[in-house]
């Protein structure tokens, strides 16, 4: 059986920098320059003996005109909530170090089957592109989802399954599952779990460990790889003997929001004008609903989980600023470990907070020598309280600008216009520049063969 091919070819758009807020102490990125690069991306076939190459071309902003539909001004709709929260025990303030029995330290909520808290998490690579893979299956059952840029103008999800698993049917599967990426390994180590992905570039495999490769059901369809939930559980249970009991403490949860937040009813992020996301706060759902561009890039469709047909709702959406170490546009790592303090933006309860994230050593790490998950602090270094529930973490480059913008769905308006106090936040992604790194950190010094190049 052939391994699922993970070949994507899109045009990268690098618009002019917009003046706005940026993390304190960091310079804003340079404006885009006119250039065209061709990068050969190798992808292994199932037996590892054959290599296929495709070409991805990055096109400068002046060479990529905005489509006409993006220039038509359209206000954001005010979606009518169809979400009905399920009855559940009232959440309490818990963490960051001690959690009541049966409480998931990644959500601050009680779980139905506490025995699952004793087995390591499984981190699954789930597709965001192509659009035919939507709606995805299983995202709403994850306590923690990481979204990151993977090159060519698109993002992908590394979805953490821990403490609970989809229980909608015996045939339930999660997916579509896509290829492995280098930053996955740092997150795997932080959460002391195992990875599931659908193949990987021959450049990427040497950087990954403790993984299971999923094969597509149709080797001509890049979104045909899925995994039954029972197999996810088996992977987690089998990994316990190697990885040990998970220790995922470090997060503080409180149903009462801090008092100093700024209004944040909506968050807009664009990796490209054909890859735009809105997170919109829904008071009835008590969380943020995700919307993304549909077949028409000027129209946004609400994300749902195909396992339930219900909207994707996350109580917390957090953007963390991190260094990206590049060799090529699609082959890069993200510095996520041993971070003392870097800026972050936290959104909860319709409010935005400028906070910090850390993976630095504290008492637990110093005593045990083990890593723990990404944690969040305020300006004084005290734990920042997330809302009890699920958290969606978006990893963006340092220096990414952000500002309050106008009530619109128009790409140009959102990117360039500012309106203080609107509660509509624009976070404009820019592909990071290739850094001049020392050999020990430079991915380009990996001893690939000429064929891999």
């Amino acid at each position: 059986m052939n391994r699922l091919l993970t070949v994507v070819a899109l045009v990268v758009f690098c618009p002019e920098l917009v003046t706005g807020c940026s993390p304190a102490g960091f310079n804003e990125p340079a404006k885009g320059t006119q250039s065209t690069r061709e990068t050969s991306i190798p992808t292994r076939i199932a037996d590892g003996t054959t290599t296929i190459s495709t070409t991805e071309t990055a096109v400068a902003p002046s060479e990529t005109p905005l489509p006409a539909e993006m220039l038509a001004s359209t206000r954001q709709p005010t979606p009518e909530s169809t979400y009905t929260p399920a009855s559940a025990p009232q959440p309490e303030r818990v963490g960051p170090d001690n959690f009541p029995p049966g409480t998931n330290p990644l959500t601050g909520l009680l779980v139905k089957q506490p025995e699952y808290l004793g087995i390591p998490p499984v981190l699954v690579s789930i597709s965001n592109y192509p659009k035919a893979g939507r709606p995805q299956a299983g995202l709403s059952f994850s306590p923690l989802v990481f979204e990151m840029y993977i090159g060519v103008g698109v993002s992908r999800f590394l979805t953490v399954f821990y403490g609970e698993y989809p229980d909608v049917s015996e045939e339930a599967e999660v997916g579509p599952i896509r290829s492995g990426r280098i930053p996955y390994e740092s997150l795997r180590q932080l959460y002391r779990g195992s990875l599931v992905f659908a193949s990987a570039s021959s450049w990427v495999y040497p950087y990954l460990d403790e993984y299971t490769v999923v094969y597509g059901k149709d080797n001509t369809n890049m979104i045909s790889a899925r995994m039954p939930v029972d197999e996810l559980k088996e992977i987690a249970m089998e990994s316990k003997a190697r990885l040990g009991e998970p220790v995922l403490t470090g997060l503080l949860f409180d149903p009462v929001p801090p008092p100093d937040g700024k209004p944040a009813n909506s968050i807009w992020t664009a990796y490209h004008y054909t890859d735009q996301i809105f997170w919109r706060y829904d008071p009835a759902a008590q969380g943020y609903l995700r919307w993304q561009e549909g077949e028409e890039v000027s129209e946004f469709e609400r994300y749902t989980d195909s396992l339930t047909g219900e909207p994707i709702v996350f109580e917390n959406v957090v953007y963390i600023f991190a260094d990206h170490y590049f060799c090529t546009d699609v082959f890069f790592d993200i510095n996520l470990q041993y971070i003392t303090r870097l800026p972050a933006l936290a959104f909860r309860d319709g409010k935005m907070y400028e906070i910090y994230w850390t993976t630095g050593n504290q008492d637990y790490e110093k005593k045990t020598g083990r890593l723990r998950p990404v944690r969040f602090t305020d300006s004084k270094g005290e734990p920042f309280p997330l809302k009890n529930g699920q958290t969606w973490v978006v990893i963006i480059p340092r220096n990414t600008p952000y500002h309050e913008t106008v009530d619109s769905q128009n790409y140009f308006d959102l990117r360039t216009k500012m309106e203080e106090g609107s509660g509509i936040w624009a976070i404009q992604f820019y592909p990071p520049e290739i850094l001049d790194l020392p050999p020990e950190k430079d991915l380009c010094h990996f001893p690939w063969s000429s064929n891999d190049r």
Side-chain angles (χ1 to χ4, degrees):
M1 183 184 298
N2 285 346
R3 187 173 279 159
L4 174 65
L5 300 183
T6 55
V7 179
V8 181
L10 292 175
V11 178
V12 175
F13 178 63
C14 305
E16 294 274 280
L17 176 65
V18 180
T19 302
C21 302
S22 61
F26 301 119
N27 295 323
E28 294 184 343
K31 295 182 179 180
T33 57
Q34 296 187 14
S35 64
T36 301
R37 296 188 299 274
E38 293 188 355
T39 306
S40 183
I41 311 301
T43 305
R44 287 181 179 171
I45 305 299
D47 59 7
T49 59
T50 308
T51 300
I52 294 178
S53 295
T54 186
T55 299
E56 298 178 355
T57 304
V59 181
S62 61
E63 299 170 294
T64 311
L66 286 172
E69 62 265 26
M70 297 297 0
L71 300 178
S73 179
T74 307
R75 289 172 59 86
Q76 296 183 39
T78 303
E80 295 183 5
S81 176
T82 59
Y83 182 87
T84 303
S87 60
Q90 183 67 27
E92 298 179 353
R93 183 181 174 96
V94 294
D97 298 315
N98 299 310
F99 289 83
T103 301
N104 190 332
L106 298 184
T107 65
L109 298 173
L110 292 171
V111 298
K112 297 177 182 177
Q113 296 177 284
E115 62 269 23
Y116 288 145
L117 296 174
I119 58 177
V122 182
L123 292 77
V124 183
S125 178
I126 291 186
S127 171
N128 190 28
Y129 277 88
K131 297 177 185 179
R134 306 174 194 166
Q136 297 89 339
L139 292 175
S140 63
F141 294 88
S142 171
L144 188 62
V145 174
F146 288 93
E147 181 171 7
M148 67 190 74
Y149 180 68
I150 61 167
V152 295
V154 300
S155 62
R156 186 169 294 170
F157 314 139
L158 188 63
T159 307
V160 180
F161 290 95
Y162 172 71
E164 291 190 76
Y165 294 86
D167 57 358
V168 293
S169 71
E170 294 183 357
E171 297 78 26
E173 297 179 320
V174 300
I177 299 175
R178 295 297 304 277
S179 63
R181 299 287 167 156
I182 293 175
Y184 290 1
E185 179 62 19
S186 291
L187 292 169
R188 185 198 70 77
Q189 293 180 19
L190 288 171
Y191 291 85
R192 204 170 180 83
S194 55
L195 295 170
V196 171
F197 54 82
S199 187
S201 164
S202 59
W203 292 9
V204 171
Y205 271 116
Y207 290 91
L208 304 180
D209 195 8
E210 192 69 40
Y211 59 78
T212 300
V213 174
V214 181
Y215 297 94
K217 300 174 182 177
D218 178 358
N219 61 14
T220 65
N221 182 357
M222 66 176 65
I223 54 172
S224 65
R226 295 174 183 261
M227 175 171 280
V229 172
D230 286 344
E231 291 188 24
L232 278 183
K233 296 178 185 177
E234 290 176 9
I235 290 171
M237 290 185 284
E238 291 172 357
S239 69
K240 184 176 180 179
R242 300 184 302 276
L243 301 176
E245 188 91 7
V247 179
L248 302 178
T249 58
L251 294 177
L252 174 65
F253 295 93
D254 193 334
V256 179
D260 55 346
K262 300 177 182 179
N265 298 318
S266 184
I267 317 156
W268 173 77
T269 305
Y271 293 94
H272 186 275
Y273 66 77
T274 60
D275 184 358
Q276 301 180 61
I277 302 104
F278 271 109
W279 287 97
R280 292 169 176 153
Y281 184 69
D282 186 329
Q286 299 181 35
Y288 285 89
L289 278 66
R290 182 184 174 101
W291 298 67
Q292 187 142 8
E293 89 295 328
E295 290 303 317
E296 298 293 333
V297 293
S298 58
E299 298 179 359
F300 290 82
E301 299 175 352
R302 185 171 57 187
Y303 251 47
T304 60
D305 191 323
S306 65
L307 293 181
T308 64
E310 295 295 324
I312 298 292
V313 182
F314 275 66
E315 284 74 15
N316 308 285
V317 180
V318 182
Y319 288 73
I320 66 174
F321 298 84
D323 286 321
H324 291 55
Y325 295 154
F326 271 66
C327 177
T328 73
D329 288 343
V330 294
F331 183 66
F332 56 87
D333 198 1
I334 304 174
N335 189 16
L336 296 170
Q337 294 186 1
Y338 305 108
I339 301 299
T340 301
R341 189 172 95 156
L342 281 177
L345 305 175
F347 297 85
R348 55 161 295 178
D349 297 289
K351 300 289 186 180
M352 187 277 272
Y353 302 84
E354 294 173 308
I355 62 168
Y356 297 89
W357 68 279
T358 179
T359 53
N361 285 343
Q362 295 177 331
D363 288 344
Y364 172 83
E365 288 81 4
K366 293 174 182 176
K367 291 178 181 178
T368 66
R370 293 178 56 172
L371 300 174
R372 281 191 304 164
V374 175
R375 304 175 300 277
F376 305 105
T377 67
D378 60 21
S379 60
K380 298 178 181 179
E382 298 297 322
F384 175 83
L386 298 175
K387 185 181 180 70
N388 304 66
Q390 297 165 280
T391 302
W392 192 290
V393 178
V394 185
I395 305 174
I396 54 178
R398 289 215 307 197
N399 311 328
T400 299
Y402 58 95
H403 63 277
E404 286 184 285
T405 187
V406 295
D407 184 7
S408 176
Q409 288 191 167
N410 173 271
Y411 179 88
F412 182 79
D413 286 348
L414 291 163
R415 184 166 66 89
T416 61
K417 295 183 178 180
M418 300 184 187
E419 186 176 323
E420 186 175 356
S422 69
I424 303 168
W425 290 90
I427 301 173
Q428 177 62 51
F429 182 89
Y430 292 87
E433 296 181 345
I434 296 176
L435 301 177
D436 184 15
L437 298 171
E440 64 270 19
K441 286 188 175 291
D442 192 345
L443 298 174
C444 301
H445 282 75
F446 187 86
W448 303 304
S449 70
S450 59
N451 289 335
D452 281 339
R453 288 282 188 174

